[in-house]
Amino acid sequence: MIEARRLHILRAVADHRTVTAAAAALYLTPSAVSQQLTALEQETGHRLVERGAKGVRLTPAGEILLSHTNAVLAQLERAEAELAAYSSGQAGTVTVAAFATGIALVVAPAVAALARTAPGIKIRVQDAEGDASLPMVLDRQVDVAVAVEYRGAPPADDPRLAHVPLYAEPFDAVVPVHHRLADAAEVPLAELAKDPWIGPYPGNPCHDVVVLACENAGFQPRLEHSSDDFRAVVALASADAGVALVPRSALRGMDLSGVVVRPVDGVAPTRRVFAAVRRGAEEHPLIRPVLRALTEAARV
């Protein structure tokens, strides 16, 4: 008989590619993870993982078991949801991980709405960049992620996750007030090819959006200054340190006196924001109202 908790450990090892990283995500010791993997191999009668200099990878047998693992864990999530519904679980805590702008734009309004419509549901919010929140959901550290599409992100049909689209927003060009394009109605990105750039660090989903937009315009941006805080990005642009692309909602409430904000000429780079939960959990009586509140907040 295969134990479900060992399947969860197998998936964590496959996701994180090292026993140490999987153990940290699951709040276990590396030796405990190794012991559980060994026990799972004994249960199945197959070698499931191979250890090498660059970490751990699944064997062909491990890949077969992983494909079933995603389905089994999703079904267990559905079972928990139905049991919670049966016991009319209308009170409990749901943990949401979201990036800062997403918290301001949809999470905080959703929290306020749920306080009126579902007072038994307590929301705990954690600030996490768009690429960090999805692994947190998969590792059961949080229940809901508000994340951003990025290169390498799990696709919408990933068997481990259920996606709920929330909103899409354009990036605007931010240039110093005395920049040569400050008077333009729209900014052609190709005209900024020789400028110094300010942007998020690699790994941040917005970094991918900026770099891809510039590549589509025919150049690689010369990123001289890096910050994941868009207030810092705008402040550096105000100091004439360079130009930037910033999501439109991130500019709300900022001091923009030292910069000019203009739409991008042509097809604007866009970030697409969605909520994600472990597949099967979307019908949980505590999580379902949270997803609905996030969707309604995004619509507003």
Side-chain angles (χ1 to χ4, degrees):
M1 181 69 70
I2 298 174
E3 291 193 21
R5 63 191 178 96
R6 289 175 182 153
L7 293 178
H8 182 60
I9 289 172
L10 178 70
R11 187 164 79 177
V13 169
D15 287 342
H16 294 280
R17 300 188 183 280
T18 70
V19 168
T20 301
L26 298 174
Y27 299 103
L28 296 173
T29 64
S31 62
V33 169
S34 294
Q35 289 170 8
Q36 293 299 318
L37 288 175
T38 298
L40 184 59
E41 289 180 329
Q42 292 173 347
E43 288 173 346
T44 60
H46 291 278
R47 188 179 181 186
L48 302 175
V49 297
E50 293 180 342
R51 294 168 174 82
K54 296 183 178 180
V56 176
R57 69 181 184 87
L58 298 188
T59 65
E63 293 287 355
I64 291 172
L65 184 57
L66 179 64
S67 66
H68 291 284
T69 292
N70 292 327
V72 169
L73 294 183
Q75 190 60 40
L76 286 174
E77 292 282 356
R78 294 186 186 98
E80 289 183 8
E82 289 187 17
L83 287 171
Y86 176 75
S87 61
S88 65
Q90 297 301 312
T93 300
V94 176
T95 305
V96 180
F99 56 100
T101 309
I103 292 174
L105 200 61
V106 294
V107 177
V111 169
L114 287 166
R116 298 188 302 270
T117 61
I121 300 178
K122 178 183 177 182
I123 306 297
R124 295 176 59 192
V125 180
Q126 296 185 21
D127 190 331
E129 289 299 333
D131 59 332
S133 57
L134 296 178
M136 293 170 72
V137 167
L138 290 172
D139 293 333
R140 303 183 70 90
Q141 296 174 13
V142 301
D143 301 303
V144 181
V146 175
V148 178
E149 290 183 3
Y150 60 95
R151 287 189 284 191
D157 60 353
D158 189 293
R160 302 168 298 171
L161 295 168
H163 284 223
V164 178
L166 294 178
Y167 64 92
E169 64 172 328
F171 281 60
D172 288 326
V174 177
V175 301
V177 289
H178 300 301
H179 192 273
R180 64 187 181 281
L181 297 177
D183 293 330
E186 296 180 333
V187 173
L189 284 186
E191 296 296 321
L192 301 176
K194 295 184 179 180
D195 287 82
W197 279 74
I198 313 158
Y201 284 101
N204 185 314
C206 290
H207 173 89
D208 287 346
V209 174
V210 171
V211 171
L212 184 59
C214 293
E215 288 176 351
N216 289 338
F219 70 98
Q220 284 282 340
R222 180 163 51 92
L223 283 163
E224 293 199 355
H225 309 282
S226 298
S227 175
D228 288 334
D229 185 336
F230 285 116
R231 291 185 182 275
V233 170
V234 171
L236 287 167
S238 297
D240 204 17
V243 299
L245 289 173
V246 177
R248 188 166 293 173
S249 65
L251 295 168
R252 294 179 182 177
M254 283 195 195
D255 178 8
L256 302 175
S257 58
V259 297
V260 171
V261 178
R262 294 288 185 265
V264 172
D265 183 30
V267 179
T270 302
R271 73 170 171 183
R272 292 173 173 81
V273 179
F274 61 94
V277 299
R278 292 179 295 277
R279 189 171 293 275
E282 62 270 27
E283 292 303 319
H284 192 288
L286 294 178
I287 293 178
R288 186 172 59 246
V290 175
L291 294 176
R292 184 167 56 247
L294 290 169
T295 302
E296 292 173 354
R299 189 177 300 120
V300 172

